[in-house]
Amino acid sequence: MAITQPSKRSKADAFAAEAPDAKPAPKLRGKRQTITFGLPPDLIAEIDAIAAEESRSRARMIEIGMRQFIRDYRRGAAARDAA
Amino acid sequence: MIVIVGNTKGGVGKTTLAVQIALARAAAGHSVLLIDADRQGSAQNAATMRAEGGRTPPLTCVQLADGRLLRAQLSPLAAKHDDTIIDAGGRDNESLRIALLRSDLLVVPVQPRAVDVWSLADIAELIDRAQEAREDEGRPRLDVLAALNLADPGDNRDTTETVEALAGFPQFTVSAAIVRRRKAIANAMAHGLSVAELQPRDPKACEELEQLISNVFDVTELAHGNHTAIEAE
């Protein structure tokens, strides 16, 4: 018995997705979306040093930093609104 | 009925024909939606000029230049109108491809010029791929009407040779109507008017466009893939 898998992308989906201006679907790893961006090398070195001290990955340290930034930013915005 | 006016080659008069087709159908009492799928927004400008001039019937026009948005919105919007006319941007893009998958008829304006004839293979290849994708989805074949547009006035070799070149592409049915480069058409567009509304009236421009538009709405009755020229009524 041959077991065939249905194709994941129909010809119509592929046809539209191959347009020169089509935006790629977001890359998801589990519940995470992979993004690519650049940082100055000295900042990366500092992040890596802290990551080593904390036994965490670089990606995890950036995530913690961004969450901290968002909290601080929102608090600052709320304080400005209240003033 | 959903009609897309499109060609991967720019400068062939897609917006002009889309607006003129939409206005002619609206004047005939149909409920018409014009979708501007070109980021330049020229069809929208024509609709705005018409609205500001207080002309009736109004031309209902929305801009859906993003492919994913067009995919999501086209069917529900088209369901509310008798005719939906899509003005696609002048290059291969996602919104053009979505429209090729979801429309009933593609009108391909072709300018009788060497560069335009050279570009026919590009749109023909895209049509082939769209037809395959439609077949895969169980959709009927897309009807395709090639319309000679912006032709030089009078009989001339460029026009004859373009018709001959089109006959070599089984993807197209070729309209017998030849729309020539006429100031009246450009003037009408500048005010969001149909050529029939423009004063003073240019009978030749009116006749050419009437013939083309009657071909557009007759073409689905022809055999698919038949590239025999259609005689206007």
Side-chain angles (χ1 to χ4, degrees):
Chain A
M1 186 178 78
I3 298 173
T4 56
Q5 295 290 330
S7 83
K8 285 182 182 166
R9 204 162 71 157
S10 72
K11 275 190 185 172
D13 287 344
F15 175 67
E18 286 163 19
D21 70 329
K23 296 180 192 86
K27 286 183 190 169
L28 289 176
R29 260 185 11 199
K31 288 184 176 175
R32 288 173 172 265
Q33 183 178 338
T34 305
I35 60 167
T36 307
F37 66 102
L39 288 174
D42 58 331
L43 181 57
I44 295 173
E46 230 175 315
I47 293 167
D48 286 348
I50 297 172
E53 283 171 32
E54 298 290 328
S55 302
R56 303 276 179 95
S57 69
R58 176 195 283 176
R60 178 73 181 129
M61 291 317 299
I62 293 171
E63 184 184 343
I64 290 169
M66 289 315 297
R67 287 191 188 283
Q68 182 65 46
F69 161 75
I70 291 166
R71 263 197 305 275
D72 292 350
Y73 181 86
R74 296 278 181 238
R75 271 190 207 133
R80 280 193 299 278
D81 287 347
Chain B
M1 182 168 174
I2 304 177
V3 178
I4 169 180
V5 184
N7 190 340
T8 44
K9 168 81 176 62
V12 293
K14 287 182 295 295
T15 302
T16 298
L17 290 190
V19 168
Q20 292 301 320
I21 292 168
L23 286 173
R25 293 297 273 186
H30 296 261
S31 142
V32 178
L33 173 67
L34 177 63
I35 294 181
D36 190 344
D38 188 347
R39 291 185 198 281
Q40 283 184 354
S42 303
Q44 275 206 317
N45 290 340
T48 305
M49 294 303 290
R50 182 175 184 82
E52 288 177 356
R55 299 300 295 226
T56 54
L59 179 58
T60 309
C61 178
V62 293
Q63 188 171 35
L64 291 174
D66 179 86
R68 290 174 67 192
L69 190 60
L70 181 64
R71 189 206 310 257
Q73 297 287 315
L74 179 55
S75 296
L77 285 173
K80 294 182 194 299
H81 298 86
D82 300 328
D83 298 313
T84 300
I85 316 296
I86 305 170
D87 173 25
R91 63 202 72 81
D92 178 9
N93 59 39
E94 197 179 12
S95 54
L96 171 66
R97 291 183 181 220
I98 301 278
L100 290 177
L101 293 171
R102 303 289 171 87
S103 300
D104 301 301
L105 169 69
L106 164 67
V107 177
V108 185
V110 179
Q111 201 179 185
R113 299 279 183 279
V115 184
D116 295 73
V117 170
W118 299 338
S119 306
L120 286 174
D122 296 336
I123 183 70
E125 189 190 335
L126 209 58
I127 292 165
D128 282 343
R129 294 206 47 214
Q131 300 287 23
E132 277 176 31
R134 289 172 69 105
E135 193 180 344
D136 193 55
E137 284 201 321
R139 287 180 190 272
R141 283 181 73 78
L142 174 71
D143 290 311
V144 182
L145 183 73
L148 264 75
N149 193 34
L150 293 167
D152 291 329
D155 289 332
N156 60 80
R157 207 169 141 190
D158 285 352
T159 304
T160 319
E161 289 183 0
T162 302
V163 172
E164 286 168 11
L166 279 164
F169 289 91
Q171 290 86 354
F172 305 110
T173 299
V174 183
S175 170
I178 297 173
V179 179
R180 300 188 190 274
R181 189 184 299 274
R182 297 196 186 279
K183 196 79 182 92
I185 299 176
N187 288 347
M189 280 297 288
H191 296 97
L193 302 179
S194 70
V195 281
E197 292 170 319
L198 186 76
Q199 295 297 331
R201 200 165 188 273
D202 180 335
K204 284 183 180 170
C206 291
E207 188 187 331
E208 288 168 6
L209 276 164
E210 268 172 32
Q211 189 182 1
L212 173 65
I213 291 161
S214 79
N215 275 186
V216 166
F217 291 93
D218 284 348
V219 76
T220 45
E221 293 166 19
L222 293 175
H224 292 166
N226 175 4
H227 56 268
T228 311
I230 311 164
E231 294 305 324
E233 287 170 12

